[in-house]
Every structure is written in C-alpha cells, then in structure tokens.
Amino acid sequence: MSRTALGVLALSLLFVGSLFVGATPLSPMDVTTPEARALIWDSRLPRAFAVVLTGASLAIAGQIMQLIARNRFVEPMTAGTGQSAMLGLLVVSVCLPAASVGLKMALSAFAALIGSIGFFAITRRLPPEEPLLVPLVGIVYGGVIGSAAVYIGFQLDMLQYIDIWLTGEFSGTMRGRYELLWIAGLAAVLSYLVADQFSILGLGETVSLNLGLNYRQVVLSGLVVISVVTGLTVVTVGAIPFIGLVVPNLVSRLVGDNLRRSLPLTAMAGAGLVLASDIFARLVVHPFEVPVATVIGIIGAAVFLWMLYGRAQHVS
Amino acid sequence: MIEVQNLSHDIHGAPILRDISVTVPKGGVTALVGPNGAGKSTLLSLMARLIPRQQGRITVDELVVGESDDKDLARRLAILPQTVHAASRLTVRDLVGFGRYPYHRGRPTPDDRAMVEDGMRLFDLLPLAERSLDTLSGGQRQRAFVAMTYVQDTDYLLLDEPLNNLDLAASRALMARLRDLADNKDRTVIIVLHDINFATAYADRVLVMKEGRLCADGAPQDVITETLIQSVFETDAPLRTVEGRPVVMV
Ligand SMILES: Nc1ncnc2c1ncn2[C@@H]1O[C@H](COP(=O)(O)OP(=O)(O)OP(=O)(O)O)[C@@H](O)[C@H]1O
Ligand SMILES: [Mg+2]
C-alpha cells in the first residue's frame, strides 16, 4: 500500500475512533438513538473536524515558515505570530467590543501578519551559520509581544481570555463555534497551488530571483497563510505548540523538501498527531480531560530534543 | 547583446564598482577574471538583477534590467551564483527541474521533463537523481546547480566561479559544454574564472577587473601577459606560450 493510502486509512480510523471518546459514554452500537446522534452532530463531529483542521493547517503553516526563514527551527508560536494574533485580538476586543466575530478574526490575523513581518525583518540580519539564533530571537520577540498582551489583559481584567488563548484545547468545541477554522484549512489547501514557489523560496532569494519569482510577493503570500492559520487557531482553540515545528521536520526527513510532494503528508501527519493527542487527552484522566496543548507540549519537546541531537550528529 | 553603461555601485558608502561600460555581443564565451574582491560577483549580480542597480544602465537585448518583467528576464538570462544554499532536502531531479520553472510555472510538460533528464545526463547526475542535496559532496552539488542553470535554456548564461569544487574532468567537461553552447547554439556565456589557464583555453574574450574597474579587455593571448598578471594579481607567476596559448606556471 502506498504511503498516502496508509496515512488516509490511519487518519480515518483515528477520526472515527475520536467520535466515541469523551466524558459521556457512547458506543458505536447506539449511534441510531436520537441522543447519540445529537451528541455526535453537535459536539463530537465538530470537535473532530476542529482537531483535524487545526493540526493540518498548523503543520503546513510551520512548513511554509521554515522554507521562508530557511531555518528548520521556527514555527508560528516561536516567531511572535501567535502572540501578535493574541495582542491584536485583545486590542480589538477593547477598542471595538461590538465588532463581529469575523471582523475580530480578520484584525487578529492582520496583527499576526504584522508580527511575522517584524520577525522576518529582525531575523534576516542574523548570520545564517548560526541557525539556532533565529528561534532564540523569535522566542524573545514573541515573549515581549506576549508580555504586552498580558499587561493589557491584566490592566483590563481580561487575563482569563489570555489564559484560554495560550492553552489550546478542544473541550469547548461545538457546532457553531469552530467553523472559522475551515478558513484556516482553506488557506492551507490554497498553499498547495503555489507549492513550487514556496519550495523555490527555500533555495534562497538569489535562486528565486533567477527563476523569475517575485520574491517579496511570494514571501508575503506565505506570511498571509501563516498569519490566517495562526490567528484563527489561537482565537478558536488556543495556541498549540510544536506542531508547526515537529511535523514539518519529521516529514522533511521522510520525503524531503519538495512541497508539492510533502504537503499532503504534512497535513495528514499534523492532523493525525493532534487527533491522537486529543484522544489521549480525553482518556488519560477520564472522565475529565487535560488540555491537548499540554499533551503535545510533552511529545513535541521530546521530539524536538531528538531533532537537536540528531542534527549534531549529522554535522559533516 | 548585453550592454552595461556607466555602472557604478556602492555598498555602505564604499565604492565597489566604478563607471563600468562594456558590451558583450551575442554568442561567445567571455571570461571575467580578477583578484578577490575586485567586484566580479557584484557586476554579475547586477546584470542578473539579484541586487538593485544604483547608477548606470544594463540592457539584455531589448530588456532593461530592473525594469523589465522578472519572468521575461528569467527566460532570457540565467545566473549561477557563487555560493548556493546547500542544506535543502530537495532531490537532484527536483532541483534541476526547477530550472524549467520560468517556462512551466508549476506544470511541467513532457518536453520540460525531457530537458531535465537531458541536463542531468550531461552533467553526470543521473546516478544521483534521487539523492537529496544535503547528502551530496561539494562538487556533486555544484554540478546539480550548474545543471539547473543549464536547463533554464536561456540565451545568456552568467556563471560565477562554476568550477568551484569541480574535479579536473568535470571542469573540462563543463567548459567544453559551454564552448559548444556558444559555437553551435549561439548562446552567450559570461563566466568568472580564477584559473587563468581555463580562461585562455576556452574563452574568446577576457575581461580583467581590479578594484571595481575594468582594466583590460580582449582576446586571451593579447590580454594575458606577465606584466598584467603582475600588475593585477601582484604575484610574479611566469608565463609560457604553449601551442600559441599563454599558460601561467603556477
Ligand atoms: N554585502 C556586502 N557588504 C559589504 N561589502 C561587500 C558586500 N558585498 C560585497 N562587498 C565588497 O565588495 C567588493 C567586491 O565584492 P565581489 O563579491 O564582487 O568580489 P569578487 O570579485 O567576486 O571576489 P571573489 O573573487 O572573492 O569572489 C569586496 O571588497 C567585498 O568585500
Ligand atoms: Mg565573487
């Protein structure tokens, strides 16, 4: 069986399995009852979709960001993008409390875009032979923006929101509350259409220009995808760390950096990892649950360490 | 024809190129030589719009560098930069394939694929086709980038030290290939070389640069003299004439 077919099968199994995991017991036998159908329709299915959309789009956003930065150690949450989305949302909530959800999302994605542009403006001056400087600067940069958000939140007594945005979890996902994530998914899918251009970005500005690419425009479109995905996930489910970092790295090791080939795998792996973690998060202290961000934080940290050491061994 | 008129360039206030005017007619191999820091790469990068032009004017046939559409220029002129990014996990075939990107923009035709295979064959890359760039040796990687530039199939080819890391056989094969492109396909090649002997053996014309200026220009046997080597490179390597060609005794 091909790798793709295998991935689709595993993902489908996880997806269906996740419908039957939760505080309210539900077995595949009673799906015909009206209560069970309501539960699946209003809560379990939306949750499964939210998980898949979040995982896939965050992983793709991370992969694009790594190609733009030409650095394998960046992802939206360590580059100030997520924090900027949060800060933007906070400012909008204060200044335009009556704004529609759509407008709030748009402005938060815009703030994320400004934040990412700032990140790239700062890090492009860093020496390329020190790849770890980029994520370090990103963490400091994101920390500063995040602190600004916390400060404002503290002043305005809105800290509880920041807490929600900082810790991604799906327990509150219901029909009518997650649908904006489809936009994030759409943004990620659209990036497949220009996959070649993003792959070429990974070869650097000189090669891009030589091949007639409008370098700035392609970088900007990549940043728009990253910002929309990050902004929407932070606002809808909260920040989930490491997905954008770990998944693209693993996929790149497996199938390389040609985005046209790796993007579907990245999407499936991202979705699968978050789905499995979310199932685990629901089972580990059943009938309660832990935030999925915590579970992924632990897995991600372990994989990240392994990546770092793996890299040290590869030095030629 | 590439026409450079009164080109000057500063970086952080330091003059890098000073009032360069030169015309390279269509066809032929032109070698660009000169000591480290002379400004060769800067000149090539300006011709290929890799860095924004400050003063002067550069045209490639009817296209004005810096004003004409990037996509048009990418089908007219290709550049192999002096340093290329190595850490990418693209396969050799993918990399060479991107050389066709200016034509197919994401949808390669069978013709594009055939050219890519042809390019890989010419530069001995077929056995490495599925290898990832980050696993190649320096010379193999250099050959992959040369092949990418080659399949871009442009009238003008700018190559910045393409012999970097190449062994003797690969160097001679590449130079012979460039010679063939110029003689039989009317391609125009401008190539930065440090090995003067390669320049005299394969080029029709040698441009010598020093400290941001053009200081000699002409056929290799006329330009390359002991006096020139001494004044430009400030080393007293002796010169012999072998079969009518000046050869630097290193
Ligand atoms: N980004 C930069 N910042 C400062 N100086 C630069 C920069 N790029 C080039 N220079 C300077 O411009 C001069 C010309 O550089 P260039 O790379 O064109 O030389 P070159 O003739 O190609 O040399 P080499 O044979 O070593 O490749 C050098 O003195 C170099 O130090
Ligand atoms: Mg140079």
Side-chain angles (χ1 to χ4, degrees):
Chain A
M1 208 179 337
S2 82
R3 197 155 27 201
T4 320
L6 211 65
V8 171
L9 183 71
L11 197 57
S12 316
L13 286 178
L14 280 173
F15 188 92
V16 174
S18 80
L19 299 179
F20 300 100
V21 180
T24 318
L26 177 69
S27 103
M29 306 302 161
D30 8 275
V31 284
T32 44
T33 65
E35 300 84 40
R37 264 196 246 167
L39 179 63
I40 290 186
W41 190 246
D42 293 334
S43 149
R44 297 280 169 87
L45 204 55
R47 180 170 186 159
F49 277 131
V51 170
V52 166
L53 288 169
T54 306
S57 57
L58 277 182
I60 290 175
Q63 191 163 34
I64 296 176
M65 191 162 226
Q66 287 165 22
L67 284 173
I68 297 178
R70 297 170 76 192
N71 185 306
R72 297 198 191 279
F73 298 101
V74 295
E75 63 137 340
M77 284 314 294
T78 57
T81 310
Q83 291 82 352
S84 304
M86 224 158 52
L87 182 61
L89 191 67
L90 201 61
V91 171
V92 177
S93 312
V94 172
C95 302
L96 298 168
S100 69
V101 181
L103 181 65
K104 281 185 183 167
M105 296 279 186
L107 290 174
S108 130
F110 185 70
L113 180 63
I114 304 286
S116 332
I117 293 175
F119 169 74
F120 280 101
I122 295 173
T123 53
R124 66 178 281 148
R125 286 157 213 269
L126 295 174
E129 57 278 4
E130 295 280 1
L132 289 177
L133 272 184
V134 175
L136 277 180
V137 169
I139 287 166
V140 174
Y141 175 74
V144 170
I145 298 174
S147 311
V150 170
Y151 177 77
I152 296 178
F154 182 72
Q155 294 293 319
L156 300 171
D157 207 14
M158 291 177 78
L159 275 183
Q160 75 276 19
Y161 289 103
I162 292 187
D163 230 31
I164 291 170
W165 295 330
L166 274 179
T167 334
E169 53 139 355
F170 294 96
S171 62
T173 312
M174 282 196 287
R175 191 152 61 90
R177 283 220 209 139
Y178 84 101
E179 280 75 2
L180 280 161
L181 284 176
W182 286 102
I183 299 177
L186 183 71
V189 168
L190 285 180
S191 62
Y192 185 74
L193 299 179
V194 285
D196 280 349
Q197 306 197 7
F198 290 137
S199 304
I200 292 173
L201 281 191
L203 289 164
E205 185 169 357
T206 340
V207 173
S208 308
L209 289 173
N210 173 45
L211 294 177
L213 224 60
N214 188 333
Y215 183 75
R216 276 162 186 272
Q217 193 185 313
V218 182
V219 167
L220 190 65
S221 62
L223 292 183
V224 167
V225 171
I226 294 166
S227 307
V228 167
V229 166
T230 312
L232 290 184
T233 44
V234 163
V235 170
T236 329
V237 297
I240 300 182
F242 285 118
I243 292 293
L245 182 70
V246 164
V247 173
N249 270 283
L250 293 177
V251 170
S252 158
R253 276 173 192 244
L254 268 180
V255 297
D257 285 337
N258 189 341
L259 212 54
R260 195 168 286 286
R261 207 170 304 136
S262 60
L263 208 71
L265 198 61
T266 305
M268 284 195 291
L273 181 57
V274 182
L275 205 44
S277 307
D278 189 49
I279 293 175
F280 181 75
R282 278 180 266 178
L283 288 176
V284 63
V285 288
H286 195 81
F288 307 104
E289 54 179 279
V290 295
V292 71
T294 313
V295 177
I296 291 180
I298 295 168
I299 303 174
V303 179
F304 185 57
L305 282 177
W306 170 74
M307 265 165 47
L308 279 180
Y309 285 104
R311 180 177 154 274
Q313 280 162 6
H314 271 87
V315 168
S316 45
Chain B
M1 182 170 73
I2 298 185
E3 242 185 319
V4 177
Q5 291 163 11
N6 307 105
L7 189 70
S8 292
H9 195 80
D10 293 359
I11 298 178
H12 305 314
I16 306 294
L17 295 181
R18 274 292 154 260
D19 198 29
I20 292 195
S21 295
V22 63
T23 302
V24 181
K26 200 144 191 293
V29 176
T30 301
L32 189 55
V33 303
N36 292 140
K40 306 179 294 294
S41 298
T42 309
L43 177 58
L44 242 54
S45 303
L46 283 164
M47 286 180 177
R49 48 108 173 67
L50 301 185
I51 44 181
R53 189 175 38 89
Q54 294 170 349
Q55 257 178 55
R57 186 181 154 86
I58 305 169
T59 53
V60 180
D61 296 337
E62 81 286 1
L63 302 176
V64 182
V65 175
E67 289 169 26
S68 296
D69 192 60
D70 275 339
K71 293 177 202 123
D72 295 335
L73 210 55
R75 282 177 287 203
R76 192 68 61 84
L77 172 145
I79 183 167
L80 174 75
Q82 182 170 359
T83 45
V84 287
H85 182 52
S88 175
R89 289 200 187 109
L90 286 174
T91 63
V92 171
R93 180 172 276 120
D94 287 341
L95 180 81
V96 179
F98 281 138
R100 299 300 300 163
Y101 184 80
Y103 300 89
H104 64 63
R105 303 201 65 81
R107 292 160 193 275
T109 64
D111 281 352
D112 290 317
R113 290 186 212 281
M115 285 205 67
V116 171
E117 295 306 306
D118 195 43
M120 288 199 294
R121 189 178 48 76
L122 281 176
F123 294 98
D124 254 344
L125 293 164
L126 284 177
L128 305 172
E130 296 308 322
R131 285 271 295 278
S132 174
L133 285 183
D134 64 340
T135 67
L136 298 183
S137 78
Q140 292 168 333
R141 194 179 300 129
Q142 179 75 2
R143 262 162 35 211
F145 276 92
V146 170
M148 171 170 99
T149 318
Y150 173 80
V151 302
Q152 214 175 323
D153 194 30
T154 51
D155 286 344
Y156 297 90
L157 266 174
L158 311 182
L159 305 164
D160 199 346
E161 300 190 30
L163 304 187
N164 264 349
N165 291 322
L166 294 192
D167 64 30
L168 184 59
S171 302
R172 295 184 66 221
L174 172 59
M175 293 309 295
R177 180 111 299 268
L178 296 175
R179 202 51 269 168
D180 174 60
L181 283 175
D183 293 339
N184 301 322
K185 289 189 164 174
D186 203 27
R187 298 294 159 82
T188 313
V189 179
I190 303 180
I191 178 170
V192 176
L193 291 171
H194 276 303
D195 190 330
I196 308 288
N197 292 338
F198 270 97
T200 55
Y202 292 96
D204 307 303
R205 176 182 180 190
V206 178
L207 294 174
V208 186
M209 282 185 74
K210 187 180 187 181
E211 289 167 4
R213 291 172 201 277
L214 268 182
C215 55
D217 174 3
Q221 61 274 21
D222 303 335
V223 169
I224 303 299
T225 58
E226 252 171 51
T227 350
L228 177 110
I229 303 269
Q230 216 145 57
S231 68
V232 172
F233 292 97
E234 290 165 23
T235 178
D236 39 7
L239 215 64
R240 300 276 180 280
T241 305
V242 180
E243 296 179 5
R245 228 185 326 119
V247 174
V248 182
M249 309 302 292
V250 286

